[in-house]
């Protein structure tokens, strides 16, 4: 006996999370391209400072995206373990 509605809700939320992660990653890639294009017309110290700050920010964004992706994987793992545990409990109850 599975609590299918709970499992389905958790699964839907995990899928929604990963879809939003993918959308965010795509938007960040677009932002990277746009930001790098801005550096072309500049010269000198202002351009150098802009590029250094941009690269620093992009490195931090990539780190955050990595953590978000790992959180999505952990959520999926938790859902799978939840379902397995529920199955074990159902078997134990059936044996009684």
């Amino acid at each position: 006996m599975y609590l299918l509605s709970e499992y389905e809700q958790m699964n839907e939320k995990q899928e929604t999370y990963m879809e939003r992660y993918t959308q965010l990653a795509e938007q960040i890639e677009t932002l990277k391209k746009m930001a790098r294009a801005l550096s072309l017309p500049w010269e000198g110290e202002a351009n150098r400072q802009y590029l250094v700050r941009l690269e620093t920010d992009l490195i931090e964004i990539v780190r955050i995206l990595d953590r978000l992706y790992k959180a999505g994987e952990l959520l999926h793992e938790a859902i799978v373990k939840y379902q397995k545990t529920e199955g074990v409990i159902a078997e134990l109850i059936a044996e009684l």
Side-chain angles (χ1 to χ4, degrees), residues 25-85:
E26 289 171 355
Q27 290 174 354
I28 288 171
E29 283 301 314
T30 300
L31 179 63
K32 283 181 187 179
K33 290 176 186 173
M34 291 171 57
R36 288 189 172 127
L38 287 175
S39 71
L40 297 177
W42 291 2
E43 291 183 15
E45 184 63 20
N47 185 30
R48 189 189 72 72
Q49 288 180 4
Y50 167 77
L51 290 174
V52 167
R53 185 66 214 181
L54 175 64
E55 289 305 315
T56 302
D57 290 345
L58 291 176
I59 288 169
E60 184 61 24
I61 288 169
V62 168
R63 286 182 186 154
I64 291 168
L65 280 175
D66 286 345
R67 283 187 235 140
L68 290 172
Y69 185 80
K70 288 175 186 171
E73 287 180 327
L74 290 172
L75 179 57
H76 177 71
E77 185 180 327
I79 291 168
V80 169
K81 285 184 179 182
Y82 173 89
Q83 186 182 27
K84 285 180 183 179
T85 302

Side-chain angles (χ1 to χ4, degrees), residues 81-93:
K81 285 184 179 182
Y82 173 89
Q83 186 182 27
K84 285 180 183 179
T85 302
E86 194 174 274
V88 169
I89 291 170
E91 288 176 13
L92 292 173
I93 291 171

